[in-house]
Amino acid sequence: MKTYENLSFWQEDIGAGVTRQPLTENIRADVCIIGAGFTGLSTAIHLKEKRPDLNVTVLEADFVGYGASGRNAGFSMRLFGVTMELTMLLHGKKKTKEADAYLVDAVEYLEEMIKRYDIDCNYERNGMMTVATNRKELKQLYKEIKAASELGLEGLTLLDGERTKQIVHSPTYLNARFDEYAALLHPAKLVNGLAKTAESLGVTIYEQSKVIDVHENDRIVLTEAGSVQAEKIVFATNAYSSFYPALDKKQIPIYTYIVLTEPLTEAQLKELRWEPRVGIEDARNFLHYYRLTHDNRILLGGSEALYYYDSPLHENRNERMKALLIEDFLDIFPQLKGIKFTHHWGGPISATLDLIPSIGRINDDIWYSIGCMGHGVSFTNYNGLTLAELILEERSKRTEFFIINRREIPLPPEPFRYMTVSAIRNYLRYEDKKGKKEKLR
């Protein structure tokens, strides 16, 4: 069978690859889901739990968890969009509070799912810190704390510099915000656990079954070697949605990259402290995100968010980004100078032009979920429950969420798309560079 190498440490760790047969015939299904990542598998599970009689088929172009679901950093978190301040600016206080409530529920619900389905994915619920490393980031952190207080959001605490460094020792830390609604996990183990759960409920998953077209009126999904005639269709493809014209203008693939160290020694761990084992991000626009893995490596990602002209989907490595991330790592943890970096990978996340997610429908029988903005571990799994409710025409607080059937800002075609995205990126990068140059006096 075909295998894939060097996609991510997580996938390598479990020996991920193709283990299921492709679709090679014309079949029928009640629901056909395109994409075997978190969104697609969670939707399939919840449909079968609610309606065991349904025939649910999942089509995957590569293998289960090939995309972001098997390559992300493994943060289950409440962040919606880019920042709380930006969400408030673009969408108002009411919707910002509604979004936070949805994401807090998502973090709690994913923990419940993992327990309910007995999925071993190295789950650790220790919260996360958002750290400030210069005056500009400190100002941003205070703004976010003030906004959270005004909205009455729970679970967020401001830490002074001394307490921040007691948790994790970096000479760059000034202050931090601690969020109790956050956890860490092994994403490839989670997505494979979801696939096994779905199959135990009677879901059929086809790998190596790339969708080449969808006939909307007839509800026929065509692959390279077969087809599915379905009553309902779900695009659970996120960043990999550009093959379908109706979704290509709604979202773009933005790339984020990661480096990973060798396992830390006991002496190195003692020097860093890292107790409790929190996830960490900083308060930049193009933030860094980092954490300890289950075998005590340090994973660091972010620093830039890249868009490639004409939206390619397989720019899985970038040597310039690897070098930049290693340089940033040693700025954060200079005491680890000389440590070896064993892995580097990346991949696309789904971004909308107004920088928030969207769940919508192309017609009465075709649904989609896009724009997780790189914060999709708990969010996309919770969206699976929401999509199941929408497909079955159930009503809940989730189906009333403002991102459901909202009007997205359409993206222009190339070259104007590249110019638009570059202008936004350049502004955000400029703001980050200003902050980096500021020195405390």
Side-chain angles (χ1 to χ4, degrees), residues 33 37-47 50 79-80 98-99 101-107 109-110 113 194 234-238 350 356-360 367-373 375-391 396-399 401-404:
I33 298 170
F38 292 149
T39 304
L41 294 170
S42 178
T43 303
I45 287 168
H46 288 101
L47 284 169
K50 291 173 173 292
L79 181 59
F80 179 84
E98 182 185 352
Y102 188 95
L103 268 293
V104 167
D105 285 348
V107 172
Y109 189 75
L110 179 57
M113 283 178 67
L194 292 171
V234 181
F235 282 90
T237 42
N238 257 298
S350 177
I356 65 168
S358 185
I359 294 175
W367 288 89
Y368 63 86
S369 176
I370 56 172
C372 68
M373 299 299 301
H375 314 124
V377 174
S378 48
F379 182 66
T380 53
N381 276 286
Y382 199 44
N383 284 351
L385 172 57
T386 305
L387 282 163
E389 292 172 333
L390 290 166
I391 291 165
S396 72
K397 63 179 181 179
R398 288 169 291 276
T399 61
F401 189 23
F402 78 88
I403 71 166
I404 309 294

Side-chain angles (χ1 to χ4, degrees), residues 32-41 43 58-62 66-69 209-212 214 221 233-248 251-253 313 348-351 358 362 366-372 380 387:
C32 178
I33 298 170
I34 306 169
F38 292 149
T39 304
L41 294 170
T43 303
V58 179
L59 301 177
E60 168 56 45
D62 294 283
Y66 167 83
S69 296
S209 299
K210 181 179 179 179
V211 173
I212 57 174
V214 176
V221 181
I233 299 169
V234 181
F235 282 90
T237 42
N238 257 298
Y240 295 84
S241 301
S242 55
F243 75 95
Y244 197 62
L247 298 181
D248 179 53
Q251 67 87 46
I252 54 171
L313 294 172
I349 62 172
S350 177
S358 185
I362 295 169
I366 303 178
W367 288 89
Y368 63 86
S369 176
I370 56 172
C372 68
T380 53
L387 282 163

Side-chain angles (χ1 to χ4, degrees), residues 303-350:
S303 185
E304 277 270 20
L306 302 185
Y307 175 69
Y308 296 96
Y309 187 88
D310 212 23
S311 302
L313 294 172
H314 302 290
E315 301 292 332
N316 299 329
R317 296 174 64 85
N318 183 304
E319 291 303 314
R320 183 183 70 83
M321 283 304 306
K322 177 183 178 182
L324 177 61
L325 285 167
I326 291 174
E327 179 183 336
D328 290 347
F329 178 97
L330 295 175
D331 284 344
I332 298 167
F333 297 121
Q335 63 268 51
L336 294 181
K337 183 178 180 181
I339 197 167
K340 294 180 181 178
F341 292 83
T342 61
H343 294 75
H344 162 62
W345 73 90
I349 62 172
S350 177

Side-chain angles (χ1 to χ4, degrees), residues 1-20 36 62-67 69-71 186-193 196 207-208:
M1 302 291 282
K2 182 177 179 182
T3 59
Y4 298 78
E5 296 180 352
N6 302 319
L7 288 177
S8 79
F9 164 75
W10 307 117
Q11 292 160 327
E12 176 187 306
D13 188 49
I14 66 168
V18 179
T19 60
R20 296 167 178 86
D62 294 283
F63 61 81
V64 165
Y66 167 83
S69 296
R71 300 189 225 173
H186 189 307
K189 287 184 179 180
L190 174 58
V191 74
N192 276 272
K196 291 175 182 177
E207 296 180 324
Q208 295 286 282

Side-chain angles (χ1 to χ4, degrees), residues 263-273 296:
L264 302 185
T265 65
E266 288 188 15
Q268 288 169 328
L269 276 172
K270 186 176 181 180
E271 168 70 18
L272 294 178
R273 303 190 181 107
N296 291 328

